[in-house]
DNA sequence: ACGTGTCATGAGAACCATTCTCAGTTGAAC
DNA sequence: GTTCAACTGAGAATGGTTCTCATGACACGT
């Protein structure tokens, strides 16, 4: 019944660097983007380690993960740890965190109505943010 | 302004076979599952052709595509061509088509409120169907 | 400060769904 | 029947992600 099931175990330069770059960005970013960001900062971290660290953070609920339309996973440290959804800019990753009490209720009820158990829902909104719309 | 932008062009044994197997199943199925189903029927079709045909059907709005949690694409010929969502059994693919007028309005409005254009939404519900719950 | 055991790292290989290549095949129009 | 663009399929290529395993380095006890 723990919120954070797997403790991160041992702190390393690499894990600190990944945590820091996540703290510095507000947009959803792919593992490869984060890897490149780290390299360009001088805090070079192996790609495998970036993936491992992101996965651990995701398991612990520290970062949210979503799938871009091309299937790539995108990661972001959100402001709140509570369940929420996202409105994400397709071209720059800019993100707005969304609350949907209505949708939550709707999703749960629809599942129950049809006799399904262990209902989960995927709700993500994609669009083009105002800034990206400018630079046609 | 055409509903079906790219006409399927030329009819072949392979395309007919893919269409038929899609018509016979009510569950979301992966390309590889469909490929194997075709092989087991004797209507063998190359895997590349299965993928190409599914993509063409998806482009024409004849089949719906969604991504399983592991990233695999799943295909299904739905009863209606109009926009709708799905409640899908994680273990067998059994599907209920869902209408959500409320959710539609909500999604559109959230996007607009934050100044995003070209809003699209992904809304999928996953669960365990009554039948699959039995066979623990 | 050291020694020690355990966990973490990273380069590269492996994985795997999907797409691409291209030589051979075939639908369908005339 | 001829013709040719469209289609097919075996296998190679792609690309994000995971795995392998030899090497490196946290953290704890001394
Ligand atoms: Mn929700
Ligand atoms: Mn909708
Ligand atoms: Zn943007
Ligand atoms: Zn089921």
């Amino acid at each position: 019944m723990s919120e954070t099931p797997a403790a991160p175990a041992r702190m390393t330069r690499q894990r600190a660097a990944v945590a820091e770059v996540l703290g510095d960005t507000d947009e959803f970013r792919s593992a490869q983007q984060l890897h490149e960001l780290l390299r360009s900062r001088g805090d070079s971290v192996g790609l495998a380690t970036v993936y491992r660290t992101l996965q651990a953070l995701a398991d612990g609920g520290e970062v949210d993960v979503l799938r871009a339309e091309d299937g790539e996973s995108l990661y972001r440290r959100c402001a709140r740890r509570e369940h929420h959804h996202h409105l994400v800019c397709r071209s720059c990753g800019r993100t707005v965190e969304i609350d949907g009490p209505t949708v939550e209720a709707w999703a749960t009820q629809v599942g129950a109505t049809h006799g399904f158990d262990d209902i989960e829902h995927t709700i993500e909104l994609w669009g083009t943010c105002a800034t990206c719309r400018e630079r046609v």
Side-chain angles (χ1 to χ4, degrees), chain A:
Chain A
M1 208 167 284
S2 53
E3 263 297 292
T4 323
R10 189 174 292 182
M11 182 52 51
T12 63
R13 175 186 68 77
Q14 290 86 345
R15 285 178 191 180
V18 171
E20 188 184 321
V21 76
L22 279 170
D24 286 355
T25 188
D26 194 43
E27 292 86 37
F28 268 96
R29 293 277 175 246
S30 70
Q32 316 239 11
Q33 286 178 318
L34 294 168
H35 175 250
E36 178 52 32
L37 257 174
L38 287 164
R39 218 179 60 67
S40 71
R41 288 184 175 207
D43 288 323
S44 189
V45 177
L47 182 57
T49 299
V50 173
Y51 274 107
R52 277 187 292 240
T53 304
L54 289 171
Q55 187 153 327
L57 290 171
D59 288 349
E62 301 256 351
V63 302
D64 282 2
V65 191
L66 59 83
R67 297 290 195 119
E69 292 177 355
D70 67 358
E72 201 174 13
S73 290
L74 304 178
Y75 305 84
R76 178 178 190 262
R77 168 128 80 204
C78 289
R80 44 187 145 163
R81 291 176 61 97
E82 302 80 53
H83 175 85
H84 61 271
H85 301 279
H86 308 97
L87 167 58
V88 185
C89 176
R90 264 183 293 264
S91 73
C92 76
R94 192 180 317 264
T95 299
V96 179
E97 298 180 28
I98 301 290
D99 263 327
T102 315
V103 188
E104 302 300 322
W106 171 81
T108 310
Q109 192 228 311
V110 167
T113 302
H114 293 90
F116 279 57
D117 277 346
D118 308 322
I119 306 285
E120 283 180 325
H121 57 261
T122 305
I123 301 182
E124 303 295 344
L125 308 185
W126 297 89
T128 307
C129 77
T131 305
C132 286
R133 187 190 324 141
E134 303 297 324
R135 49 179 168 84
V136 179

